[in-house]
Amino acid sequence: ESSMIDRPRYYDQIRQFIDTPFIKILTGVRRSGKSTMLLLIQEIIKEQGVAEDHIISMNFESMQLADLRDSHSLYTSLSQKLGALKGKTYLFFDEIQIVESWEEVINSLNLDYSCDIYITGSNSQLLSSELSTLLTGRYIHIPMYVLSFSEMLQFRSEYRKKQTDEELLWLFIRRGGFPAVHLSHYDEKATHMIVSDIYDSIVLRDVVQRYNIRNVDLLHRIMHFLMDTLGSPVSAKKISDYFKSQHHAVDINTIYSYLDALVNSFIIHKVQRYDIQGKELLKTQEKYYLADQGIQHAVLGYRDRHISGILENIVFLELVGRGYRVSIGKLENLEIDFVAENTKTRLYVQVAYQLNLENTVAREAAPLLAIRDAYPKFVVTMDTRFQDTIEGIRYVSLLQFLTDVYLF
């Protein structure tokens, strides 16, 4: 049972749509908990009295289903099953992107039978134009992320008696939020092995195999470059220049396509720059953040100089996990780490490791002070002592930012 820890952040969103005509689509990086979420929903509907044989669950990565990986054979197989059942059935499909033309199957099942459909995928192309055309307005999309810090505290609730939240925050900074890491008492070394294995399987199965990547070494080099420069603006040209300086010439288009493959597999997130004055997204100098900050330590080892990038990564994941659209703010020659928007509001966030000197306080505040609107502005730091509001800017510790649900 321990592995079935409820994650209300997602579960509450999905629960409203149980037994509605909408197809529920969960996407996210491999091992972020999508399959467990499907199991959780199956538990609920069983409790509500749905018979076992009216629940059909398939994971298309399993070799048992290898001969159902095209739309025709899958539809034929399912319609035989569904034809024999009376009443509503519940269908759960894991990693459905493996099935060729799967959109047509889902569309037909939805039209031909009384069923409630849930699907997961670890590739963003799942939501491609094909799907939107066939299922316009008939699906809801729920992106899933690895555990946030508050979710990790729930997973590790028994530790909170022994460790302070501050100690647990350092654990989260170094180990990340893959659920597998927090299901048992692993030490740092075991954790890194688990995360490395997850990382390797994502790179191999979701990137290399799916995109027929020929130069696996180059793919790893690009990932290492991104990890090493976490939190800095990156462009394909910048990566290509770096490789040149290492006497390793690489075609810039290859870099673009490898970056796309990584983004599509959710192992990295691409964040665009937003011009606050011109109110438009800019095409250059994006930043890339990791699906999980633990990957960087597992793959590169712990380096102090990476801490600011890691903190930005954590703040970024917290914002998207809470449902914000996130970009990097640009105001003339100033940069704001994050501009986060949802349907109701917008907030501006600067991330700084420490605020030890007056000038750091001023430097972090300058870009925020230049913004002339009334939306909330935050400077997030590791400093738990300096909690203040200066000229409308709230200084909060990372701990509070990650745990205080009323903050924003």
Side-chain angles (χ1 to χ4, degrees), residues 391-407:
E391 300 192 51
I393 296 169
R394 293 191 61 178
Y395 288 81
V396 297
S397 68
L398 181 63
L399 190 63
Q400 187 189 353
F401 190 81
L402 297 177
T403 50
D404 183 345
V405 285
Y406 302 108
L407 191 61

Side-chain angles (χ1 to χ4, degrees), residues 1-19:
E1 263 312 275
S2 69
S3 63
M4 293 278 286
I5 295 171
D6 181 10
R7 297 179 67 188
R9 168 179 286 188
Y10 305 105
Y11 169 67
D12 293 345
Q13 289 181 60
I14 301 166
R15 198 168 54 181
Q16 314 169 44
F17 289 98
I18 293 178
D19 279 328

Side-chain angles (χ1 to χ4, degrees), residues 79-99:
S79 54
Q80 281 166 357
K81 273 188 191 157
L82 297 176
L85 292 168
K86 299 261 182 294
K88 188 174 213 171
T89 46
Y90 295 79
L91 309 177
F92 295 86
F93 301 130
D94 242 323
E95 298 298 340
I96 194 145
Q97 73 273 344
I98 291 170
V99 178

